[in-house]
Amino acid sequence: MDAVTGFDSVGAAYAAHSDSARGRLRHDLVERRLLAELPATPARILDVGCGNGEMTLRLAPAGHHVTGVDPAATMLAAAADRLAARPDLAGRVRLVNAGFQSLSWDGEPFDAVCCHGVLMYLDDPGEAVARLAGSSRRAAC
């Protein structure tokens, strides 16, 4: 399940894409679909490959508790900076620097897993999907 290395180096390109009209539309569509599938009550969500926190910071304002995970320290730092600008979300967001190989959870399954824009970077995405599905009640990849 080895991932392509060098995620730290793609941060600027990812941010530029996210800020483009196409990137914003993509994030808007993913957010709309995820929120429609999640329960109305606060859910526990694992956002794998959270990057700069885009989905994490879109799901938390809806009342969900989101654990954003990314292997790239620079991307996670960008997510932390964005989270710092939203102190109202601090109690609902946890950021973790980890990749699939070192990812662990504390027993109780997540209500949902968001793994958006990640699988295409993995050598064995099937193994990752199986592992993530085992950590959640629902998976949206």
Side-chain angles (χ1 to χ4, degrees):
M1 181 170 45
D2 294 307
V4 172
T5 58
F7 283 111
D8 282 315
S9 66
V10 301
Y14 176 79
H17 171 73
S18 290
D19 289 338
S20 72
R22 182 173 183 227
R24 301 300 323 155
L25 177 61
R26 179 178 179 223
H27 289 306
D28 290 348
L29 292 171
V30 170
E31 174 190 16
R32 185 180 320 155
R33 186 73 247 148
L34 285 173
L35 291 175
E37 294 294 328
L38 293 170
T41 58
R44 231 176 122 237
I45 302 169
L46 178 63
D47 183 7
V48 178
C50 71
N52 65 359
E54 185 68 38
M55 278 301 124
T56 297
L57 297 175
R58 286 174 177 246
L59 297 171
H64 302 297
H65 298 274
V66 186
T67 299
V69 178
D70 203 278
T74 55
M75 296 296 282
L76 214 57
D81 288 345
R82 293 179 73 195
L83 178 58
R86 296 288 312 269
D88 57 310
L89 302 179
R92 287 191 300 251
V93 174
R94 182 174 67 137
L95 299 173
V96 178
N97 184 217
F100 279 105
Q101 296 81 358
S102 59
L103 186 60
S104 64
W105 25 88
D106 50 6
E108 186 177 336
F110 288 90
D111 297 308
V113 172
C114 175
C115 186
H116 177 249
V118 172
L119 298 178
M120 69 279 236
Y121 293 107
L122 302 178
D123 293 335
D124 185 0
E127 183 181 341
V129 170
R131 181 155 190 224
L132 293 174
S135 72
S136 71
R137 293 181 180 94
R138 302 177 77 154
C141 292

